[in-house]
Amino acid sequence: GESVGLHLPTLSVQEGDNSIINCAYSNSASDYFIWYKQESGKGPQFIIDIRSNMDKRQGQRVTVLLNKTVKHLSLQIAATQPGDSAVYFCAERRVHKLSFGAGTTVTVRA
Amino acid sequence: GAGVSQSPRYKVAKRGQDVALRCDPISGHVSLFWYQQALGQGPEFLTYFQNEAQLDKSGLPSDRFFAERPEGSVSTLKIQRTQQEDSAVYLCASSPRLAGGRGQETQYFGPGTRLLVL
């Protein structure tokens, strides 16, 4: 079936290093993708989004890359900080609903 | 400005009880969504409102689940005769745009209501 998923369930990164979180999707008709960050006990927080007619989009310390050929999405976080520790979800839009993967838990080591 | 708020934040119910979960979206947001998030999983779509109209309820797990948004702002998700498998975090999200268009459409989430059915 069609789904949005993340390659790795956990990622440990040294403070100050760059983080890369990957996501594979299977619905080639998806036209919009969002990355969310969820801290314990909180709702998902919007990080960055990208439309399918783009390959790359940059925000503050974050970059999202979209490779439609292999249906792959990634989130890069520059100079990872302790406050970046959270679960990260990619989501794809299917008509009006968002379909989420299971998430990647990022732990930042001091 | 104020974000999406949900109440209660925590709810413990005995199996068989009815519960009502409230969502206050961001003022002026047209679209409202409910999601269910099981422990360790991503959110799963339940239902979608455009103003007061419920346009999609395909994700509701059973007829025990009912959602409404009578005046196009506040929404309530009601679960009747709760079962243990209903235990989850229920998330509400809102968006300023009509959903399903070709443009970017960020959904802003509330903190969720954590429901535990004993």
Side-chain angles (χ1 to χ4, degrees):
Chain A
E2 297 172 337
S3 65
V4 177
L6 290 164
H7 289 305
L8 294 174
T10 62
L11 176 66
S12 180
V13 61
Q14 186 70 36
E15 181 179 356
D17 288 351
N18 296 334
S19 303
I20 299 177
I21 306 166
N22 296 305
C23 177
Y25 66 95
S26 58
N27 187 348
S28 57
S30 296
D31 67 340
Y32 179 60
F33 303 87
I34 309 175
W35 279 100
Y36 284 96
K37 170 187 179 183
Q38 187 172 28
E39 297 174 283
S40 181
K42 297 183 179 180
Q45 175 188 354
F46 171 84
I47 301 174
I48 192 168
D49 57 4
I50 188 167
R51 295 180 64 179
S52 60
N53 62 355
M54 302 172 68
D55 297 323
K56 179 179 179 179
R57 191 160 190 236
Q58 289 185 294
Q60 186 176 10
R61 280 201 310 120
V62 294
T63 300
V64 55
L65 299 177
L66 176 62
N67 186 330
K68 294 180 288 294
T69 302
V70 295
K71 288 182 280 189
H72 182 268
L73 196 69
S74 69
L75 176 70
Q76 300 178 359
I77 305 174
T80 311
Q81 302 170 358
D84 294 329
S85 293
V87 180
Y88 290 79
F89 294 97
C90 64
E92 66 177 312
R93 180 174 68 183
R94 300 179 180 179
V95 189
H96 48 257
K97 66 185 77 170
L98 294 179
S99 179
F100 289 79
T104 291
T105 300
V106 173
T107 302
V108 180
R109 306 188 307 272
Chain B
V4 178
S5 61
Q6 293 186 245
S7 61
R9 291 296 314 279
Y10 304 92
K11 177 69 179 177
V12 178
K14 293 182 179 179
R15 187 165 58 91
Q17 280 186 331
D18 298 349
V19 298
L21 313 179
R22 177 186 169 107
C23 172
D24 286 81
I26 295 172
S27 178
H29 277 200
V30 171
S31 298
L32 186 144
F33 307 81
W34 284 98
Y35 291 82
Q36 180 189 59
Q37 186 174 25
L39 188 64
Q41 301 297 315
E44 294 278 348
F45 171 82
L46 293 177
T47 187
Y48 160 59
F49 289 87
Q50 183 182 110
N51 296 308
E52 69 278 4
Q54 188 176 21
L55 299 187
D56 186 347
K57 53 182 180 179
S58 63
L60 296 176
S62 74
D63 58 7
R64 296 185 296 104
F65 287 71
F66 172 76
E68 60 183 4
R69 193 187 186 199
E71 297 180 357
S73 55
V74 172
S75 177
T76 303
L77 176 66
K78 298 179 180 178
I79 309 174
Q80 298 176 324
R81 304 181 303 282
T82 52
Q83 303 295 314
Q84 288 185 323
E85 60 264 28
D86 300 334
S87 295
V89 174
Y90 290 86
L91 295 163
C92 175
S94 70
S95 172
R97 294 178 178 271
L98 296 177
R102 296 296 294 179
Q104 292 164 283
E105 175 198 302
T106 301
Q107 293 184 21
Y108 298 91
F109 283 81
T113 294
R114 185 176 298 275
L115 173 65
L116 176 63
V117 182
L118 302 176

